[in-house]
Amino acid sequence: MADQLQLYSYWRSSAAYRVRIGLNLKGLPYDTIPVHLVRDGGQQHTPEFREANPQGLVPVLKHGSRVMRQSLAILEYLDETWPSPALLPPLSRDRERVRSLALTIACDIHPLNNLRVLQYFENTWHVPQPEREDWVKYWVAEGFAAIEALLVDHPSTGRFCEGDTPSIADCCLVPQVYNARRFGVSMDAYPTIARIEAECLAMDEFDAARPERQPDAP
């Protein structure tokens, strides 16, 4: 498909990070349109960006005239539009496991340490930074304990979350580990997660998606 892909992204957004990984794994070129989530009160709040996403969240992917929102929906769109290499395994039971792992991260861990939640704590409730960081660490640890239990010794776990091919689950896991490290969460209790993260980051597609490698990184 010839229509150019444009990704509205913020270098440190873990949701945008997921989509960058997926685009790279598919070998799809795209233009990055930076949306700074902090500068100028947050560029995601501008009327121009709200036209693209009324939620005021990144990522947004434009494919020609089509506008897509929500990272997991975007990843599945990429997988359906460009089926190879696949981001979901062929068997339905394995696809369910991959989606379950991805949703555990995207729906149950990530929202509790999202920027807008932390900004609300700071600006409305005036929660001091140490307490905000404790909040993040607590919920990441709770979530990672569950993810580790779902991965360790599971017969479907291979080099990656599901077998020996990266999937949507890995697209979600690596950015969440990045967030965890940002907030000082030790990975010692999650050796399977840490091993899979290392396997992923050894691949060029994951490495190129790192926050510090993005054109809008400071």
Side-chain angles (χ1 to χ4, degrees):
M1 302 182 75
D3 290 339
Q4 179 62 41
L5 292 164
Q6 295 178 309
L7 180 66
Y8 289 76
S9 177
Y10 177 58
W11 68 282
R12 208 161 60 180
S13 161
S14 59
Y17 191 173
R18 297 168 195 156
V19 175
R20 293 196 302 262
I21 294 169
L23 288 164
N24 292 347
L25 287 170
K26 293 289 184 182
L28 296 171
Y30 63 94
D31 293 328
T32 298
I33 302 176
V35 180
H36 202 292
L37 301 186
V38 180
R39 186 183 300 148
D40 305 323
Q43 294 172 353
Q44 71 274 25
H45 302 305
T46 63
E48 294 79 11
F49 184 73
R50 289 281 178 161
E51 286 186 15
N53 189 356
Q55 279 190 293
L57 299 174
V58 294
V60 170
L61 184 71
K62 285 189 175 182
H63 181 205
S65 62
R66 292 169 290 280
V67 182
M68 286 155 277
R69 307 156 189 92
Q70 291 292 338
S71 60
L72 292 185
I74 292 170
L75 288 170
E76 294 220 20
Y77 173 82
L78 297 177
D79 212 40
E80 292 167 1
T81 308
W82 293 276
S84 182
L87 297 178
L88 286 166
L91 295 180
S92 58
R93 65 169 184 256
D94 299 333
R95 289 197 300 273
E96 186 282 329
R97 181 171 182 264
V98 164
R99 289 187 174 111
S100 175
L101 290 166
L103 289 167
T104 299
I105 295 164
C107 296
D108 296 331
I109 303 176
H110 173 246
L112 292 169
N113 56 77
N114 188 273
L115 175 65
R116 61 180 178 163
V117 171
L118 299 181
Q119 286 180 333
Y120 186 83
F121 283 170
E122 179 182 9
N123 299 327
T124 303
W125 289 347
H126 308 295
V127 178
Q129 183 175 347
E131 282 83 349
R132 298 197 306 271
E133 292 183 356
D134 285 346
W135 163 274
V136 171
K137 291 176 183 176
Y138 176 82
W139 290 112
V140 169
E142 285 281 300
F144 274 7
I147 295 287
E148 180 72 18
L150 291 167
L151 292 172
V152 67
D153 297 330
H154 192 285
S156 291
T157 302
R159 288 180 57 208
F160 303 101
C161 289
E162 175 68 30
D164 295 328
T165 303
S167 70
I168 285 174
D170 304 286
C171 293
C172 291
L173 183 67
V174 169
Q176 190 58 60
V177 176
Y178 170 82
N179 272 357
R181 295 187 193 280
R182 269 186 62 209
F183 285 95
V185 176
S186 171
M187 296 302 296
D188 291 348
Y190 320 110
T192 312
I193 293 175
R195 177 188 63 75
I196 291 172
E197 182 210 23
E199 289 276 3
C200 290
L201 291 177
M203 296 180 62
D204 290 343
E205 294 87 350
F206 283 85
D207 183 65
R210 289 178 190 256
E212 61 270 21
R213 297 190 182 278
Q214 302 319 300
D216 57 325

